[in-house]
Amino acid sequence: MKEFLISHNRKNVANGTEKDPSTILQSCLDIVQALHQSNLTDVLSHKYDLVANICHDSPAEVGREGKRNPLEEGSYRCHVQHTASRQWYEMQDLHVRETMPQLIGISESYLLIFERKG
């Protein structure tokens, strides 16, 4: 049975309208806190591979001056890795294209899914 670690990156600040790219640190702290409540030693004794990444993209004008909620507009993209070939793909609606893993690292991740090795 595969085990997964899922990280939800909260990207909205207190007013709920602006994206905050610094929230990745808070997400890491949330993971550590959640792991502390489970068996932290067991979880940290394993390595994990990123297998999927979900991003939310919204137009630049959304969220400015409280006009519209950024999570109600925009679109989602998903990056997934084909395990056998180690090739990454970007999917949005019915569009699928190959992508480079370096581009995933600079995307504004909303949800990260890691698979435990071994």
Side-chain angles (χ1 to χ4, degrees):
M1 174 183 241
K2 301 277 184 181
E3 291 192 36
F4 295 90
L5 180 64
I6 300 172
S7 169
H8 172 249
N9 299 325
R10 289 176 280 165
K11 58 192 224 177
N12 291 356
V13 294
N15 67 12
T17 60
E18 298 177 19
K19 291 182 181 179
D20 182 4
S22 67
T23 57
I24 189 70
L25 175 61
Q26 182 60 45
S27 295
C28 291
L29 295 174
D30 290 346
I31 290 173
V32 170
Q33 183 180 11
L35 294 176
H36 182 68
Q37 294 171 357
S38 63
N39 187 350
L40 181 62
T41 307
D42 181 50
V43 173
L44 294 179
S45 66
H46 300 283
K47 292 185 178 184
Y48 293 83
D49 286 327
L50 180 66
V51 294
N53 175 51
I54 300 172
C55 303
H56 178 261
D57 300 316
S58 57
E61 70 276 358
V62 173
R64 293 198 180 170
E65 301 174 11
K67 292 182 181 176
R68 298 182 294 213
N69 184 341
L71 294 180
E72 291 177 359
E73 297 194 32
S75 60
Y76 288 89
R77 290 180 294 128
C78 181
H79 301 102
V80 294
Q81 184 183 47
H82 183 262
T83 308
S85 67
R86 307 288 291 170
Q87 174 63 51
W88 281 92
Y89 294 90
E90 179 180 284
M91 296 182 282
Q92 185 173 13
D93 295 327
L94 297 175
H95 303 282
V96 178
R97 67 182 181 104
E98 290 185 359
T99 189
M100 297 184 302
Q102 297 86 343
L103 295 177
I104 297 164
I106 61 171
S107 64
E108 289 189 30
S109 300
Y110 181 71
L111 193 70
L112 296 160
I113 302 173
F114 298 90
E115 181 180 20
R116 189 169 90 172
K117 287 185 172 183

